[in-house]
Amino acid sequence: MEKSLWHNEIKLPSFHSLKGDIKTDVLIVGGGLCGLLCAYYLKKAGIDCIVAESNKIASGTSGNTTAKITSLHGAIYGDLIEKSGIETAQKYFDINQQAIKEYEKIAKSADCDFKESTAYTYSLNDSEKIEKEYNALLKLGAPIKPDSKISLPFKVSAIVGLQGQAEFNPLKFIKYIAEGLDIYENTRILEVNDNVAYYSGGKIMAQKIIIATHFPFINKHGFYFLKQYQYRSYVIALENAPNVGGMYVDEADGGLSFRNYGNFLLLGGCGARTGKPCGNWTKLTEYKEKYYPNSKEKYRWATQDCMSLDKIPFIGKYSAKKPDLLVATGFNKWGMTSSMVSAMILTDMIKGTKNEYADIFDPSRSILKPQLAINCFETLANYIIPTTKRCPHLGCALKWNKYERSWDCSCHGSRFEKQGKLINNPANKDMK
Ligand SMILES: Cc1cc2nc3c(=O)[nH]c(=O)nc-3n(C[C@H](O)[C@H](O)[C@H](O)COP(=O)(O)OP(=O)(O)OC[C@H]3O[C@@H](n4cnc5c(N)ncnc54)[C@H](O)[C@@H]3O)c2cc1C
């Protein structure tokens, strides 16, 4: 499997796996950026917590991200104002801006190549969409970049930039925050029943349990398998490519993303819903040849993220009926700030402090019906395809991904190696 630039360059510490039964105030399931940030803030608040990670910390999406820390999530604010109202959009913007400030604070003592940067969203052919985003950002009082001198290798029809955003090395950051946390690797949680989590070596009893496994794996509550899906994207790290002077993303599905890190230019995109055909590295390499013919590809990798249907993450109670079970998921490819927002909100919930932003992320909010119907249709259509390769999560047909040599599920995004070993959840066991 291809390794990201970050994993090629940074070695993270290892942690023992858990043995026997244990008691804690808070159990965090999943040692990605989200789970680790929750643990970092809980520990700072003096709350006893442990992290159970099925593999190695940051082995999931967090170790394969492009690590732009920004509140400019593509072109989201125009739609948010239109569909959810100005108050929701303002809260979403404000807490994401606060999340950037939190990173800035930690980065003062963490060696993680954190630096301020401008984030841009561009469009190749929909200037109205960018204009709508610009106007929305104006209404929210966002620090819009006044000029639009850009260093992209093609013409855009419109672009909007936000100042005071940031970029960093996610693994250097994770190495720093993981220090001193109570982490158990190779400890997969198989089942959660009220305040008890079960793994192959015993059980963990906790007053609160946070599910930070990227895609939640408990199906009997919360209906996350209906409320979100996964989207897979591809990245190449180029040497001898120019500095583009900021972080860029195309507002369109499958478009390109750009940022530099050291001597590298990270070119990302060409993705699709996991299990569906897309441009993948083939298309990205064509772009490299077209736009940066003198550059050299040093690393390539791919990863996926959970997409909520209304573009707002799910952070809070796993379901209204389960007050001790919490969740953070559905980051829509903007998990740097969203992981920080999760840590801020969930720490407050556990401390019993009111958080004025929590309501907009409430996982029990109602989801727009047309999008829900499309997502259900995808699941049903896959369910009836005749095949012997089925996903152990909910029985959908798996498709062979010849570029990555994996069996992929387009319903919820679980993936398996050729011989059936689990790569990506929500499935929680190998394929038969
Ligand atoms: C190509 C790409 C580029 C991106 N770039 C950006 C960007 O520039 N800026 C940005 O803000 N966001 C970006 N994102 C999104 C961001 O990287 C993710 O949202 C974020 O890393 C998710 O973090 P996480 O901790 O929720 O998930 P993960 O990092 O996947 O962590 C979940 C962990 O849970 C573990 N786990 C799973 N099941 C179990 C179990 N049963 N028991 C125990 N452990 C379990 C997994 O092994 C994993 O380590 C990008 C996403 C993609 C796909």
Side-chain angles (χ1 to χ4, degrees), residues 34 53-54 61-62 65-68 189 305 333-336 428:
C34 179
E53 161 58 47
S54 59
T61 308
S62 302
T65 179
T66 49
K68 303 170 187 163
I189 300 302
D305 209 18
K333 292 187 270 173
W334 297 108
M336 301 299 103
N428 215 7

Side-chain angles (χ1 to χ4, degrees), residues 231-236 254-257 267-272 279-281 284:
Y231 191 100
R232 195 155 181 81
S233 311
Y234 296 78
V235 188
I236 51 179
L256 291 177
S257 136
L267 185 63
C270 300
N280 61 67
W281 293 301
L284 267 186

Side-chain angles (χ1 to χ4, degrees), residues 412-429:
H412 310 104
S414 298
R415 298 177 59 247
F416 305 85
E417 287 176 7
K418 189 173 181 206
Q419 305 305 335
K421 190 168 182 292
L422 177 64
I423 308 174
N424 289 109
N425 68 347
N428 215 7
K429 57 183 178 193

Side-chain angles (χ1 to χ4, degrees), residues 19-37:
K19 291 191 173 61
D21 297 349
I22 188 171
K23 241 186 178 172
T24 177
D25 287 345
V26 182
L27 164 66
I28 298 161
V29 187
L33 181 64
C34 179
L36 295 171
L37 273 174

Side-chain angles (χ1 to χ4, degrees), residues 29-35 52-70 73 187-190 212-215 217 231-235 301-305 328-329 331-339 425 428:
V29 187
L33 181 64
C34 179
E53 161 58 47
S54 59
N55 191 335
K56 299 265 302 158
I57 58 165
S59 56
T61 308
S62 302
N64 297 291
T65 179
T66 49
K68 303 170 187 163
I69 307 175
T70 176
H73 295 173
T187 302
R188 176 176 292 281
I189 300 302
L190 301 169
T213 54
H214 197 232
F215 204 118
F217 64 94
Y231 191 100
R232 195 155 181 81
S233 311
Y234 296 78
V235 188
W301 68 96
T303 188
Q304 58 193 38
D305 209 18
T329 186
F331 295 162
N332 301 301
K333 292 187 270 173
W334 297 108
M336 301 299 103
T337 51
S338 302
S339 289
N425 68 347
N428 215 7

